[in-house]
Amino acid sequence: MTSTRPVLLFALLFVGYFIYAAWQQDYGAKLVTVPTASAPTADAPATTTPAASAADIPAQVTATATASVPVAAEEKSAPTIEVQTDVLRVAISTSGGSLVRADLLAYPIDPKDKTQPVRLLDDGAAHFFVAQSGLISNGAPAPSHKAVFSAQKNSYALAAGEDRIEVPLTWQDASGLSVRKVYVFTRGSYLIESREEISNGSSAPWTGNEYRQLQRVPPVVAKSGLFSLYNPEAYAFAGAAWYSPQDKFQKLAFAKFAESPLKREAAGGWAAMLQHYFFAAWIPAAGETDQFSTDVVPVDGTPRYLIRTVSPAVTVAPNQSATIATRLYVGPKLQSELANIAPGLELTADYGILTVISQPLHWILVQLHKLVGNWGLAIILLVLLIKLVLYKPSEAQYRSMAKMKQFQPRLQALKERYGDDKQKLNAATMELYQKEKINPLGGCLPVLIQMPIFLGLLWVLQESVELRQAPFFGWIQNLSAPDPFFILPILNGVAMMATQWLSPSAPGMDPMQARMMKTMPLIFAVMFAFAPAGLTLYWTMNGWLSLLQQWIITQRVGGAAKAKA
């Protein structure tokens, strides 16, 4: 095997990977169709979904009203409370105290326009995604996420010198039961504290549970034909996810909601809705055992997907009070910070089957970025580290290739001697390889080692929000987008052409194969022209460093041969 086959092997694996990704995009994520049904009203709970059945309420809360967990969205006409911190701009509806909008101020949609941030939560029909919570009780009054709350102010803003904002909403029933729902926002944080302060002013004990749920439609992803293969949003995971110490990280694509609904108890876990780069998650108290479930809810003929947690029952005696606390995360998948919020939360940056490779690569990139302060430079340093780790296998490869090039005249002589007798030619060629200690398979090993690293880095560049819109220098101001002037793809093609010139041609290669090999630099240049610039930077630097290493070893082998002569 000569240098021809490693290149073809890499091209085959590279193209095969994207064909698989395209198949997953087109056939692996078909959304479920739900029967058309009228939306539940505020007075009538949903009866067409499993969420309203006794089977979906955990044993410890069967004393509560099992059909009193409404799933429909709150009325859009309800007033909202605007809250702004240094990183979040949130709208809280007075209907249930639901979070109906959330803008991530540090993450613009377009890096050229900083005034339009990513909107993660949205109560618009096309991008519907809201975070809801409420109380349920068996026969007793309880404010669900559709109850009308009152607020002291209609806007809050984090002032200079302040680190926290508390946003209280209150609900009062004629029986004497009152609930104070409080959201706490902290400077520099996407984590929102939530608590339900229940005061029982009635003459009878009150027993109930808190539920928290995320309800959404699938994110809208623009498709652009073949080049959507390089659009990470086109095949990044979108759906529900949850974690528990027992089951670890689990996820459920929207297409699987109907056939594989979630229904289980979990202690110390969390429930989330994921999309590319960003997510929202309800995080119950660490020692709390909740019932986790998913559901598909038809609203005006459109399915909405829901993941919910229900807390254990709480009993409040007359003239007593109790507090149920939880946390809500609404923001980016910042892995280094998420691990400190809740166990397993960093796994929301989903690398799939390549997690075992991608997570260490991400960690190394983060450490290198701390050192140099630039993600492009961190990628270059990562290439240098990988080349150092793979130096010995690469050295063996290039020595073998240099020897093959040195013995090219003898290989050509064997071809002329045996002509079309392929069997004798192959036997004579292998005898020469054995005599001169040339390993024809030496070129494949480094490629096979580098391919998982390459794909792992591809997922890191696509899934790591830290690299989203990250600048390098000069013309590259977004490492997660293609090189706008195609300079890196061209440099990569030049490196491949120079590598071909240094590498020996395969004995017996027919003209068709020779022409195909000559076109490989152009093919790869076109492939990388639409790949993320960070990935192209990695492979271009890898190509030029490999070329330098191959040239040095070729010169050494050639010098040694001349010395012997």
Side-chain angles (χ1 to χ4, degrees), residues 92-215:
I92 303 173
S93 174
T94 54
S95 176
S98 301
L99 273 70
V100 295
R101 287 189 299 279
D103 295 335
L104 311 182
L105 303 179
Y107 295 90
I109 297 172
D110 185 343
K112 297 178 182 178
D113 183 6
K114 305 293 185 180
T115 64
Q116 295 296 321
V118 168
R119 174 161 291 181
L120 182 55
L121 301 184
D122 191 347
D123 58 353
H127 304 276
F128 188 83
F129 185 9
V130 297
Q132 303 163 327
S133 63
L135 298 175
I136 51 175
S137 182
N138 185 18
S144 71
H145 68 274
K146 297 177 68 64
V148 178
F149 282 75
S150 61
Q152 298 173 352
K153 298 166 58 177
N154 59 13
S155 66
Y156 294 80
L158 190 66
E162 289 184 340
D163 291 327
R164 290 161 61 91
I165 298 176
E166 286 203 3
V167 181
L169 300 93
T170 56
W171 174 90
Q172 180 76 45
D173 183 70
S175 66
L177 183 73
S178 65
V179 175
R180 186 171 182 263
K181 178 178 288 191
V182 182
Y183 290 109
V184 181
F185 298 81
T186 305
R187 180 179 294 277
S189 177
Y190 297 95
L191 188 65
I192 304 167
E193 298 176 27
S194 171
R195 63 179 186 266
E196 304 258 17
E197 299 173 351
I198 307 165
S199 298
N200 186 7
S202 69
S203 58
W206 182 90
T207 299
N209 317 79
E210 184 186 38
Y211 65 92
R212 311 100 178 184
Q213 60 191 32
L214 298 164
Q215 187 179 170

Side-chain angles (χ1 to χ4, degrees), residues 21 55 59 80 123 206 245 266 269 280 302 349 376 387 391 399 436 473 560:
T80 59
D123 58 353
W206 182 90
T302 300
K387 294 302 291 183
Y391 180 82
R399 284 190 179 277
E436 301 296 340
F473 73 88

Side-chain angles (χ1 to χ4, degrees), residues 291-538:
Q291 178 74 22
F292 286 60
S293 62
T294 56
D295 196 8
V296 184
V297 183
V299 177
D300 297 328
T302 300
R304 290 181 181 171
Y305 301 84
L306 180 150
I307 186 168
R308 173 192 294 137
T309 73
V310 181
S311 75
V314 174
T315 298
V316 185
N319 301 315
Q320 298 296 314
S321 62
T323 299
I324 304 176
T326 188
R327 294 178 296 167
L328 173 66
Y329 184 89
V330 181
K333 300 176 181 178
L334 296 170
Q335 297 173 62
S336 57
E337 298 181 12
L338 295 176
N340 299 322
I341 295 175
L345 202 60
E346 73 279 5
L347 298 175
T348 53
D350 181 34
Y351 300 129
I353 60 174
L354 294 170
T355 297
V356 67
I357 298 173
S358 295
Q359 277 194 334
L361 285 176
H362 177 270
W363 184 86
I364 294 172
L365 267 179
V366 169
Q367 305 312 310
L368 293 174
H369 179 262
K370 291 178 181 178
L371 182 65
V372 297
N374 183 284
W375 288 107
L377 292 177
I379 291 173
I380 292 174
L381 291 178
L382 178 64
V383 177
L384 291 172
L385 287 177
I386 293 174
K387 294 302 291 183
L388 287 174
V389 171
L390 299 179
Y391 180 82
K392 283 300 181 181
S394 297
E395 182 185 34
Q397 171 195 10
Y398 297 137
R399 284 190 179 277
S400 177
M401 291 169 64
K403 286 183 178 180
M404 289 182 67
K405 187 170 185 179
Q406 181 182 344
F407 288 98
Q408 200 70 21
R410 294 174 62 179
L411 292 171
Q412 185 62 31
L414 291 176
K415 180 182 177 183
E416 293 173 357
R417 178 188 305 174
Y418 294 106
D420 295 331
D421 192 338
K422 299 291 185 182
Q423 185 175 358
K424 289 185 178 180
L425 175 61
N426 290 337
T429 301
M430 292 306 299
E431 182 180 353
L432 176 63
Y433 287 162
Q434 292 174 359
K435 180 180 178 181
E436 301 296 340
K437 297 181 180 180
I438 299 173
N439 181 10
L441 299 177
C444 287
L445 180 60
V447 173
L448 291 175
I449 294 175
Q450 288 186 57
M451 192 61 193
I453 297 175
F454 176 83
L455 293 178
L457 182 64
L458 172 62
W459 274 106
V460 169
L461 295 174
Q462 291 180 161
E463 285 294 314
S464 299
V465 70
E466 295 92 339
L467 276 73
R468 178 184 181 269
Q469 300 178 356
F472 181 29
F473 73 88
W475 74 100
I476 299 178
Q477 293 300 309
N478 187 354
L479 287 169
S480 59
D483 182 339
F485 298 110
F486 310 113
I487 295 175
L488 288 178
I490 292 172
L491 290 175
N492 181 65
V494 172
M496 288 191 66
M497 286 190 291
T499 301
Q500 284 187 355
W501 179 79
L502 277 179
S503 303
S505 59
M509 179 185 290
D510 59 47
M512 178 64 73
Q513 287 179 313
R515 285 195 296 271
M516 184 171 65
M517 283 303 301
K518 289 180 180 179
T519 63
M520 290 306 292
L522 177 61
I523 293 173
F524 270 72
V526 173
M527 288 167 59
F528 279 109
F530 301 96
L535 185 70
T536 310
L537 174 64
Y538 167 85

Side-chain angles (χ1 to χ4, degrees), residues 399 403 406 552-565:
R399 284 190 179 277
K403 286 183 178 180
Q406 181 182 344
I552 292 173
I553 292 175
T554 300
Q555 294 300 310
R556 288 177 180 174
V557 171
K562 289 180 181 179
K564 288 182 179 179

